[in-house]
Amino acid sequence: MDEYLLIQKYFSNIGSAFLAEHNVEISVGDDAAVITPKDNIQYIHSVDTSIENIHFLSSMAPEDIAYRSCSVALSDLAACGANPEWYSLAITLPSPDGIWLERFSSGLRDFSDEFKIPLVGGDTTKGSLSITVQVMGTVKKGEAILRSGAKPDQGIFVSGLIGEAYLGLKELQNHKDENSNCSAYLRPKAQISLGRALVGIATSAIDISDGLLQDIELVCKSSHVGAKIYLDRVPTSTNDKSVKVINSGDDYQICFTAPMDKSMEINQVSEKLEIPITQIGLTTRSGKLVLLDELEKEMVIFSGFKHF
Ligand code: ADP
Ligand code: MG
C-alpha cells in the first residue's frame, strides 16, 4: 500500500464532524492544516511520544494503543484547565499492516468522539513502532492552571484512585485473569472536565504520569513550597498503600492545590462530575516533600518512573 492511500484510508476523516466547531479550515490531505484563531484566547500546546514496551505493551490491542497514546498526551491539557481543540499524529510503523491499522484507526475514532476533537494532520514513517501525539487546546487569556501557583498552607488534592494503572499493568504482564479490569492502564481518561471545572479554584495542578510523589515534588519546585502528604489518605482500591503502589505513575489523575476555604466548591465539583476528590496533604513553607505514615512519622520515599 502506498503512503498516500494509507493516510487516506486510516488517518483522514477522524473526528471530522468536529472540524468546524474548532475553526479548522483545512485538515489531513493538504501540505499543512489551516486553522483560524479565536478571539481573546491562549493556545495550550503539548506533545508526547509513546514507545512500544516503554509506554505501552506491544501485546495490547491496536485500538488501546491508539487511545492510550492520545489520552496521555491530552492529559497535560487537562492539568492546565484547557479546552481541547485538535490533535496531530506522527506515527512510525514497522510495516503497513492493514488489519492493525484499521484497528488503530478505530481507537483514534473512539478518542476523537469522546473528546470531540479532530485529527488535523501528522506524519507517517517506517521503523520500530513509535507514536507521537501533539495536542492543542485553548483557555481564556490568563485562565491556565500552572504548576507554579501553589502557596504555603493550601490543601493538596487528587482525583480518582491512585495505583489502578500500576495494578492493571501487573495483571496484564502476569496474564492472571483474562477478564481482569485493566482499563486504567489500557484506556486512561484525560480528566478534561475536571481540569475545566478547577479553573478559578485550583492554584496549581499537574497530571500524575511519573508517580504521585515525584509529580508533587515538581509542583513544589515550581511553586517554591514544601508539601506534607499523609500516606493513609491517598485513595487506592487496595489496602496496600505502599509507596510502590501510589508512586508508580501512569495514573493520569489530576493532583492540585487549592486554598482550604475552597473545600465546599471542590465538593460540588466532585459531586457534579461524579469524580472522587480527596485531600491527601498540605503545602508547607519547608520547601521539601515529606511523606507521613499513619502515626505521622516521616517515611523514606523511593522514586517513581524515570526515563533516564
Ligand atoms: P509531506 O510529504 O508533504 O509532509 P505527507 O505525505 O507527510 O506530506 O502528509 C500528507 C498529508 O497527510 C498531510 O496533510 C499530513 O498532515 C497528513 N498525514 C500524514 N500522516 C498522517 C498521520 N499519521 N495522521 C494524520 N495525518 C497524517
Ligand atoms: Mg510529512
Side-chain angles (χ1 to χ4, degrees):
M1 188 181 329
D2 85 357
E3 194 187 321
Y4 175 81
L5 283 177
L6 188 153
I7 294 167
Q8 280 295 310
K9 193 156 179 205
Y10 303 112
F11 299 126
S12 58
N13 290 316
I14 292 182
S16 38
F18 312 113
L19 289 168
E21 68 190 76
H22 297 290
N23 292 1
V24 182
E25 319 273 338
I26 303 292
S27 178
V28 175
D30 213 302
D31 291 318
V34 180
I35 303 160
T36 309
K38 297 171 183 170
D39 289 338
N40 196 34
I41 55 120
Q42 285 177 312
Y43 287 126
I44 308 293
H45 172 266
S46 184
V47 62
D48 270 301
T49 295
S50 295
I51 299 200
E52 191 173 30
N53 297 327
I54 296 177
H55 303 98
F56 60 87
L57 301 176
S58 45
S59 57
M60 277 165 56
E63 292 89 338
D64 291 335
I65 295 176
Y67 183 96
R68 180 178 161 79
S69 304
C70 294
S71 197
V72 303
L74 197 63
S75 176
D76 286 310
L77 261 50
C80 291
N83 280 306
E85 299 279 348
W86 50 260
Y87 66 114
S88 58
L89 164 76
I91 186 165
T92 306
L93 291 164
S95 66
D97 173 347
I99 293 170
W100 192 93
L101 278 163
E102 189 61 53
R103 296 183 60 187
F104 184 86
S105 180
S106 149
L108 294 178
R109 263 173 240 283
D110 292 344
F111 172 76
S112 274
D113 289 345
E114 182 172 345
F115 294 100
K116 305 200 173 341
I117 49 172
L119 177 63
V120 301
D123 197 26
T124 307
T125 49
K126 188 169 153 67
S128 29
L129 183 60
S130 158
I131 298 153
T132 297
V133 177
Q134 180 207 18
V135 285
M136 180 76 98
T138 53
V139 292
K140 282 199 206 116
K141 218 167 180 177
E143 226 180 42
I145 308 170
L146 307 178
R147 291 181 183 180
S148 55
K151 300 275 180 293
D153 304 316
Q154 296 188 327
I156 301 175
F157 301 83
V158 287
S159 64
L161 295 174
I162 303 301
E164 292 296 276
Y166 166 73
L167 297 170
L169 177 60
K170 263 204 336 198
E171 288 203 20
L172 275 180
Q173 285 166 332
N174 295 339
H175 299 287
K176 263 198 202 129
D177 178 0
E178 297 262 310
N179 302 314
S180 59
N181 181 13
C182 305
S183 62
Y185 184 80
L186 297 174
R187 292 207 174 208
K189 293 253 169 289
Q191 296 293 331
I192 291 293
S193 308
L194 177 59
R196 291 294 306 147
L198 291 175
V199 170
I201 296 177
T203 51
S204 74
I206 191 166
D207 62 316
I208 306 163
S209 52
D210 293 345
L212 176 68
L213 301 172
Q214 194 162 321
D215 288 331
I216 290 175
E217 217 163 17
L218 295 176
V219 171
C220 288
K221 275 191 191 129
S222 295
S223 296
H224 307 290
V225 295
K228 55 179 175 188
I229 304 297
Y230 299 92
L231 181 60
D232 59 346
R233 289 198 204 168
V234 176
T236 55
S237 65
T238 156
N239 289 330
D240 172 15
K241 287 186 199 284
S242 59
V243 174
K244 183 81 202 149
V245 168
I246 67 150
N247 201 34
S248 283
D250 279 329
D251 299 296
Y252 300 102
Q253 295 294 342
I254 294 187
C255 179
F256 64 96
T257 57
M260 287 308 294
D261 63 10
K262 297 276 186 191
S263 293
M264 277 275 279
E265 279 176 68
I266 293 169
N267 282 339
Q268 283 163 2
V269 167
S270 166
E271 273 171 31
K272 186 166 167 236
L273 299 180
E274 297 179 19
I275 297 171
I277 298 176
T278 312
Q279 194 200 340
I280 57 167
L282 286 166
T283 54
T284 64
R285 283 168 206 281
S286 78
K288 81 179 226 239
L289 172 69
V290 174
L291 181 66
L292 301 170
D293 68 12
E294 62 279 16
L295 302 170
E296 304 208 359
K297 254 183 54 195
E298 202 176 319
M299 298 176 68
V300 180
I301 303 174
F302 301 101
S303 67
F305 180 79
K306 287 223 166 38
H307 288 90
F308 298 104

